[in-house]
Amino acid sequence: MAVSVWGYLDEYREERADLLDAVDTVFGSGQLVLGRSVTKFEDAFAEHHQVRHCIGLDNGTNAIALGLRAMGVGEGDEVITVANTAAPTVVAIDTVGAKPVFVDVSPDTYLMDVSQVSRVITERTKCLLPVHLYGQCVDMTALRNVAVRYELPILEDCAQSHGARQYGEIAGSMGNAAAFSFYPTKVLGAYGDGGATITSDPTIAANLRRLRYYGMHERYYVVATPGFNSRLDEVQAEILRRKLARLDGYIARRRAIAQRYAAGLADTGLVLPYVEAGNEHVHYLYVIRHVARDEIIGAMRSYGVNLNISYPWPVHTMTGFAHLGYREGSLPATEELANEVFSLPMYPSLSEREQDKVINALREVLLGLGR
């Protein structure tokens, strides 16, 4: 029995009837693009996050890029974020012509170290972009204080934090806008690509609706450029609308798996996930840390257990971002993490038998390494 880092087939078999009905509902609706399913999902997703507007988009990268554009960020501006993230966060900033400016992360949570933000703000800074990584939130109380002091908007990257909360506030409701990905692996995942940007600001929302549809306000009439073809698919919207009703169940299952991992690995010497005070973690990934990371991953393959590294290359060290001028050693915590972190299998349909296999194999591998 091999154990994958992620899988959806068991979940699909359990939910198959509802998913196929979702497809049939769209195909029988008479409208295949920006129809009732997109509207209903947008309304439900906005209500879930206690904001006024949700704009469905084609993927999470464009949710960030169009979110930035809708907030007026463009050529020559600077956006403060982190390099310990998936590359799309930074690709989106680059796409709008802005410059990503990085701060390091906390060695405990692996999230943006907000205490470093003020020192990199310049007159060109136009947005703060915290990444709620792995399933828990950046310190938004501290970040909002910085935002107020410097009169800067916040765009939350919530691709990995659907349903996460901080002191009761849900991720995505704590900034001026928030971007979500519905890539299949996400806590709320589609059966293909999808994304959304949410906001309570009517101007940002109006800009987003124009941007996703060629720059049009009404059909066939472009009111302003730039404009893009970046619409959420009707079928994916209908699937997501139905899965949204099951989101709390998905999260509960992830938390139960995380608890079993924590109990089974507590005395192994692995650095297990740290949950910041006030955070309600949704465990999109179960990220652990060890200096012998690469040896462990290799040895685990012989047990039929596949692990993943999130992320092996900090964004600022990639050749595609060499133009930003960062050198190795400029973000020490981020760079150290990249050499040590890895993630265990984590998805709602992961069985207890599979979880036990992961735990037992890890314990044996660590014992064999004398660690």
Side-chain angles (χ1 to χ4, degrees):
M1 177 187 66
V3 183
S4 300
V5 172
W6 176 79
Y8 74 94
L9 290 175
D10 287 342
E11 181 179 297
Y12 170 68
R13 283 186 279 268
E14 181 180 339
E15 299 178 356
R16 182 174 183 273
D18 190 43
L19 294 168
L20 295 183
D21 184 67
V23 175
D24 188 60
T25 295
V26 172
F27 288 177
S29 70
Q31 191 168 7
L32 299 177
V33 178
L34 291 184
R36 290 189 295 272
S37 290
V38 167
T39 298
K40 287 180 179 179
F41 171 70
E42 289 176 336
D43 290 346
F45 200 68
E47 181 179 2
H48 184 81
H49 290 86
Q50 300 175 336
V51 299
R52 293 175 60 189
H53 307 281
C54 170
I55 296 83
L57 300 165
D58 54 347
N59 58 65
T61 308
N62 281 337
I64 298 173
L66 298 193
L68 290 170
R69 289 186 185 274
M71 297 167 75
V73 178
E75 193 73 34
D77 294 333
E78 294 179 350
V79 177
I80 297 173
T81 189
V82 294
N84 185 37
T85 183
T89 303
V90 185
V91 168
I93 298 170
D94 196 61
T95 295
V96 305
K99 177 184 177 181
V101 176
F102 300 120
V103 295
D104 213 346
V105 296
S106 162
D108 295 323
T109 63
Y110 316 154
L111 303 173
M112 173 184 276
D113 182 349
V114 178
S115 70
Q116 299 186 25
V117 172
S118 294
R119 71 184 70 164
V120 298
I121 291 175
T122 72
E123 61 182 14
R124 296 171 65 184
T125 305
K126 291 297 185 290
C127 185
L128 307 179
L129 205 167
V131 181
H132 300 318
L133 199 67
Y134 304 148
Q136 69 171 328
C137 298
V138 171
D139 183 350
M140 291 301 292
T141 299
L143 190 63
R144 284 187 290 193
N145 287 338
V146 174
V148 169
R149 187 182 319 137
Y150 291 93
E151 298 182 335
L152 292 169
I154 296 173
L155 175 64
E156 299 174 71
D157 181 346
C158 298
Q160 300 190 5
S161 61
H162 307 75
R165 292 180 182 271
Q166 187 170 89
Y167 293 108
E169 293 185 271
I170 192 167
S173 70
M174 294 181 278
N176 299 80
F180 289 82
S181 168
F182 302 122
Y183 188 75
T185 62
K186 304 303 184 185
V187 180
L188 179 63
Y191 275 70
D193 269 320
T197 305
I198 65 173
T199 183
S200 287
D201 186 314
T203 300
I204 294 174
N207 288 342
L208 280 163
R209 291 193 176 94
R210 172 182 61 78
L211 286 164
R212 77 169 174 185
Y213 193 50
Y214 308 112
M216 295 179 182
H217 174 65
E218 296 180 2
R219 194 177 183 190
Y220 299 129
Y221 192 94
V222 174
V223 295
T225 58
F228 305 88
N229 180 4
S230 186
R231 301 165 296 204
L232 178 62
D233 178 75
E234 271 288 290
V235 172
Q236 300 301 340
E238 183 63 27
I239 290 172
L240 287 165
R241 185 182 71 82
R242 296 175 186 224
K243 292 188 72 175
L244 180 60
R246 299 191 281 269
L247 179 58
D248 288 346
Y250 298 148
I251 293 171
R253 181 65 178 154
R254 288 174 177 274
R255 286 174 175 157
I257 295 169
Q259 288 176 356
R260 292 190 88 246
Y261 279 155
L265 300 170
D267 59 348
T268 59
L270 294 164
V271 179
L272 303 182
Y274 172 81
V275 181
E276 188 68 65
N279 274 349
E280 297 176 35
H281 207 307
V282 296
H283 296 287
Y284 167 61
L285 298 176
Y286 193 85
V287 177
I288 59 179
R289 184 174 176 183
H290 198 284
V291 292
R293 186 264 314 275
D294 295 341
E295 296 173 76
I296 293 169
I297 290 175
M300 289 290 283
R301 293 193 193 102
S302 66
Y303 288 84
V305 177
N306 296 297
L307 307 179
N308 191 45
I309 304 173
S310 301
Y311 300 94
W313 300 286
V315 174
H316 71 289
T317 67
M318 298 180 184
T319 57
F321 296 104
H323 62 282
L324 297 177
Y326 288 88
R327 296 181 178 180
E328 189 172 339
S330 58
L331 300 172
T334 296
E335 293 168 30
E336 184 175 350
L337 290 171
N339 292 320
E340 297 182 4
V341 296
F342 58 111
S343 55
L344 305 185
M346 172 59 79
Y347 47 97
S349 58
L350 189 70
S351 70
E352 290 192 356
R353 181 185 176 197
E354 290 170 318
Q355 295 165 44
D356 288 340
K357 180 170 182 175
V358 173
I359 293 168
N360 293 333
L362 256 178
R363 295 184 70 89
E364 288 187 29
V365 166
L366 289 167
L367 185 63
L369 292 174
R371 304 298 179 98

